[in-house]
């Protein structure tokens, strides 16, 4: 073979890019068939989340909101692709340096995967396999096809075919795995609750188009968590362990939980990252077992002031133990709105503690409950600059109208919440006018949000609508503006409406 005219640097970079993409596809296929969380891009994303400085993390979340994880994955993917192209170009003149760079990438990906909670040494395989495929592709290019045009075309065809086949296989496996979990979920028959939820009354849902419903459908319920890849948990092998500062360690299966007294409660959950007027809040009818009753069986040490809950992927939340036992209906939930928990919302079991933000209470894919102290352990978000547990702040939101309305009578409506205190009043102000009392929906508990409604006689022009709520203790929602960090946003929700 003629070697007088080696392939250009651009051709080598293209070869490195194609080989790297093929390797990533194979690595993700291997992970999809074994441990999805060990996929190279997923494992690297988890590592970036763990090591990035708090200021950068906070800035990025405030900038893009719930798009943070998809954009992180895309960014890492582009970075790995660019690195693959650079390694290909380096191989042209310094092949041993390029080989070393591939080995480093394999080691970084493997270490990131192995470090993930719940995964063992086998989690390194997808990243090692990805690097091996990239290495094999570049080795092939180097030894046989760097000058022969037909050989280059064959390389691109074979490498592209390997990548496409692996991507197709990865897509198939990503459907088969969750489908198997969904099949398990579909087969689970939830018993009727021993203590059903109290119905809120005939006017739990006020008549206003665009108003959030009293119960949020499962498919519309907000999802906030750190899981790059949603855990797949087989219910037959799932266990819930109770340990730490207790008289006796306990372990429960799903059958154990379903055999206990089942409690059904309407509870609103809210994310601490919810901006004023935001939608990271929802109300659902949860079915589960009493958390305080279960912990009491373990015998809680009076000195244990923190309950640490752990997810199957290692995420932790720290809840004040005294709030678990203060009479609120803290649950280990197994059902949501009459169905087994959706996979995205914590299948097979999650924690629901009314009145606390999710980052310190609402652990999904629950596997452990550890009794400890706040001095002894800082949970996931506490180590990242968020505050220790605080009560959910009183908030209200305008759902309708949006931006425009017709003159005449206009229904202005929304929801307000102050879990564990309840909502006693909601008022609306138009422009700089007086605060006007709003009609409130029926509720049966202080743990849910409450709809509100005002019939507004709208005149043509631009108008500013502002809402505020009063909680069950008589405390009016503050107008002081604060961002979500470190313990939740404050301020009043306002919108501008153009009336024709």
């Amino acid at each position: 073979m003629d070697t007088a005219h080696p392939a250009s640097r651009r051709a080598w970079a293209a070869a490195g890019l194609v080989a790297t993409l093929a390797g990533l596809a194979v690595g993700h296929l291997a992970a999809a068939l074994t441990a999805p969380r060990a996929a190279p891009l997923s494992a690297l994303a988890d590592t970036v989340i763990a090591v990035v400085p708090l200021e950068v993390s906070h800035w990025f979340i405030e900038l893009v909101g719930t798009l943070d994880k998809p954009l992180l994955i895309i960014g890492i993917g582009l970075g790995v692709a660019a690195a693959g192209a650079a390694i290909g170009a380096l191989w042209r003149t310094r092949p041993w340096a390029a080989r070393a760079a591939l080995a480093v990438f394999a080691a970084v990906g493997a270490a990131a995967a192995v470090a993930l909670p719940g995964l063992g040494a086998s989690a390194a395989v997808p990243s090692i396999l990805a690097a091996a495929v990239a290495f094999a592709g570049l080795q092939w290019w180097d030894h046989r096809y760097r000058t022969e045009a037909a050989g280059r075309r064959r390389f691109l065809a074979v490498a592209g075919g390997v990548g496409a086949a692996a991507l197709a296989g990865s897509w198939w496996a990503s459907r088969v795995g969750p489908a198997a979990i969904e099949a398990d979920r579909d087969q689970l028959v939830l018993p009727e609750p021993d203590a059903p939820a109290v119905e809120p009354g005939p006017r739990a849902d006020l008549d206003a188009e665009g108003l959030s419903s009293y119960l949020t459908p499962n498919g519309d319920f907000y999802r906030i968590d750190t899981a790059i890849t949603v855990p797949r948990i087989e219910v037959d092998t799932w266990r819930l362990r109770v340990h730490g500062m207790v008289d006796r360690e306990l372990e429960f299966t799903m059958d154990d939980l379903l055999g206990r007294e089942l409690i059904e409660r309407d509870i609103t959950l809210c994310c601490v990252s919810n901006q004023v007027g935001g939608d990271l809040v929802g109300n659902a009818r949860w079915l589960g077992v009493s958390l305080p009753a279960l912990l009491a069986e373990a015998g809680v040490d009076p000195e244990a002031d923190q309950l640490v809950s752990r997810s199957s992927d290692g995420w932790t939340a720290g809840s004040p133990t005294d709030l678990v036992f203060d009479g609120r209906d803290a649950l280990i939930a197994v059902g949501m709105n009459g169905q087994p928990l959706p996979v995205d919302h914590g299948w097979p079991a999650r924690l629901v503690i009314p009145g606390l933000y999710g980052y310190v209470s609402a652990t999904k894919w629950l596997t452990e409950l550890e009794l400890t102290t706040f001095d002894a352990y800082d949970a996931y978000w506490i180590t990242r600059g968020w505050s220790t547990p605080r009560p959910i702040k009183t908030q209200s939101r305008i759902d309708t109208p949006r931006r425009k309305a017709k003159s005449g009578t206009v229904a202005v409506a929304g929801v307000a919440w102050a879990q564990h205190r309840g909502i006693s009043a909601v008022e609306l102000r138009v422009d700089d006018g007086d605060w006007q009392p709003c009609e409130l929906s029926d509720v049966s508990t202080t743990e849910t949000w409450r709809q509100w409604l005002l019939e507004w006689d709208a005149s043509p022009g631009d108008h500013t609508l502002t809402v505020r709520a009063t909680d069950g203790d008589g405390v009016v929602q503050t107008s002081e503006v604060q961002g979500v960090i470190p313990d939740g946003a404050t301020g009043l929700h306002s919108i501008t409406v153009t009336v024709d």
Side-chain angles (χ1 to χ4, degrees), residues 38-58:
L41 295 182
S42 179
L44 288 172
D46 278 317
T47 300
V48 169
I49 291 173
V51 303
V52 71
L54 295 178
E55 296 78 7
V56 175
S57 175
H58 293 165

Side-chain angles (χ1 to χ4, degrees), residues 30-39 119 122-123 126 229 232:
L33 294 172
T34 54
R37 292 170 54 216
L119 300 182
S122 61
T229 302
R232 301 178 192 168

Side-chain angles (χ1 to χ4, degrees), residues 86 88 107 185 288 448:
R185 178 177 171 269
T448 69

Side-chain angles (χ1 to χ4, degrees), residues 197-198 200 214-216 221 263-270 281-286 323-324 326-331 352-357 361 391-392 416-424 442-451 472:
V198 177
Y214 170 68
L215 291 178
T216 308
F221 207 94
I263 300 170
E264 186 181 61
R265 294 293 184 265
D266 295 346
I267 298 171
T268 293
L269 298 185
C270 181
V281 58
N283 188 50
R285 180 160 290 181
W286 306 95
L323 297 188
V324 174
D326 73 349
R328 68 187 72 201
D329 288 313
L331 301 175
V352 175
I353 303 179
L356 292 176
Y357 287 113
S361 69
I392 289 178
W417 59 92
Q419 293 92 306
H420 207 54
R421 302 185 304 280
I423 295 294
S424 62
D442 291 341
V443 290
S444 60
T445 171
T446 61
E447 311 296 6
T448 69
W449 62 16
R450 196 169 192 180
Q451 296 178 347

Side-chain angles (χ1 to χ4, degrees), residues 25 115 145 172 176 181 185 224 228 234 242 264 271 296 304 319 326 342 373 375 381 409-410 424 442 448:
Y145 298 112
W172 172 81
V176 171
I181 300 301
R185 178 177 171 269
I224 294 291
I228 298 296
E234 296 181 1
V242 181
E264 186 181 61
C271 180
S319 311
D326 73 349
T373 66
D375 289 338
W381 283 115
T409 301
V410 174
S424 62
D442 291 341
T448 69

